[in-house]
Amino acid sequence: QVQLVESDGGLVQAGGSLRLSCVASGVTFSTYGMGWFRQRPGKEREFVSAINWTGDRTYYADSVKGRFTISRDNAKNTVYLQMNSLKPEDTAVYYCARHRGGSYYVPPTYAYWGQGTQVTVSS
């Protein structure tokens, strides 16, 4: 079976940093692109960032560009999201997902999803 598990969310003050991790199992992790999405209360899930399978192409939403960095370690089956200069607007449940082809920017192009990790940024 395929399983994605996010971790290391938490509570941080505005301007602080967090690093999220997503560990994959039951899949050939290194051959797939990976993405991060987030969902705020009452809103649809939105794209945050993505990385291709080799790690040499990255993609970011305009709202996080320059503040967040995505990376991956294929030997550890892990993708990371380093979040700096956090804002209260970043408060959301963050999900990682395995890409299946097509655009990186929309949820239907991802085949498997984790259950999410909560990030709360206080003002």
Side-chain angles (χ1 to χ4, degrees):
Q1 66 177 56
V2 175
Q3 188 168 30
L4 305 175
V5 180
E6 305 95 335
S7 63
D8 298 331
L11 175 64
V12 65
Q13 68 175 335
S17 298
L18 286 172
R19 188 181 71 169
L20 307 183
S21 298
C22 174
V23 180
S25 63
V27 63
T28 307
F29 177 82
S30 63
T31 64
Y32 293 93
M34 298 291 294
W36 286 97
F37 288 74
R38 66 187 181 187
Q39 190 164 20
R40 310 173 199 177
K43 295 188 176 181
E44 296 297 312
R45 194 166 299 182
E46 66 176 340
F47 171 79
V48 176
S49 187
I51 187 167
N52 73 339
W53 76 275
T54 58
D56 60 353
R57 295 285 188 273
T58 58
Y59 309 84
Y60 297 94
D62 288 342
S63 59
V64 307
K65 196 172 299 181
R67 300 189 297 123
F68 291 11
T69 302
I70 190 170
S71 62
R72 66 189 300 161
D73 186 338
N74 289 342
K76 298 180 179 179
N77 283 359
T78 302
V79 62
Y80 304 95
L81 186 68
Q82 177 68 47
M83 305 186 296
N84 299 326
S85 302
L86 283 161
K87 306 174 180 179
E89 306 92 274
D90 296 317
T91 296
V93 177
Y94 283 72
Y95 300 88
C96 70
R98 196 194 81 183
H99 194 239
R100 64 176 180 87
S103 173
Y104 280 106
Y105 296 96
V106 294
T109 62
Y110 293 80
Y112 299 98
W113 296 81
Q115 293 194 12
T117 186
Q118 177 71 47
V119 171
T120 302
V121 184
S122 62
S123 60

